Amino acid sequence: MDSNIDLSKLTDNDKKELQQFIVQEQQQSMIAKTISNLTDICWKKCITSHISAGKLDRSEDACASNCVDRFMDTQMNVLKHLEELRGDGGI
């Protein structure tokens, strides 16, 4: 595949589709990074035993569930706050 693509030869529609594709790829990358970060944080916080039975013990399971819930709550609150700032002209 030629890595030297002349973008000036793309139609307006092609440019729009390419831009949408790039945005979608960036969003997917951000989601993957968030999931990885969440997994790392909650694993380090909650998983304290050696998993030999193929599942978490009761306290680890509850901790991991709570960790995910708190992480998601925090993310939603941050997004809500940023949207409010944007609406007020703060950003």
Side-chain angles (χ1 to χ4, degrees):
M1 182 171 184
D2 186 10
S3 63
N4 296 320
I5 298 172
D6 186 359
L7 297 178
S8 66
K9 293 182 180 179
L10 294 175
T11 66
D12 287 341
N13 190 45
D14 289 341
K15 289 177 185 177
K16 183 178 178 181
E17 287 181 22
L18 180 59
Q19 181 63 32
Q20 289 173 342
F21 174 78
I22 291 170
V23 168
Q24 289 172 346
E25 289 297 311
Q26 289 172 333
Q27 289 172 342
Q28 288 178 350
S29 176
M30 288 177 62
I31 290 169
K33 287 177 185 177
T34 299
I35 291 170
S36 178
N37 188 30
L38 170 63
T39 301
D40 189 48
I41 289 169
C42 293
W43 185 271
K44 288 177 182 175
K45 177 182 172 90
C46 298
I47 312 307
T48 57
S49 68
H50 179 70
I51 302 172
S52 59
K55 59 183 180 178
L56 304 175
D57 70 30
R58 191 176 311 148
S59 64
E60 291 171 334
D61 187 39
C63 178
S65 180
N66 188 47
C67 182
V68 170
D69 289 344
R70 298 299 70 81
F71 186 90
M72 296 305 293
D73 288 345
T74 300
Q75 293 296 314
M76 294 305 292
N77 284 331
V78 167
L79 289 173
K80 182 179 176 183
H81 180 70
L82 290 173
E83 287 176 5
E84 288 171 0
L85 288 175
R86 185 182 313 161
D88 293 340
I91 293 183

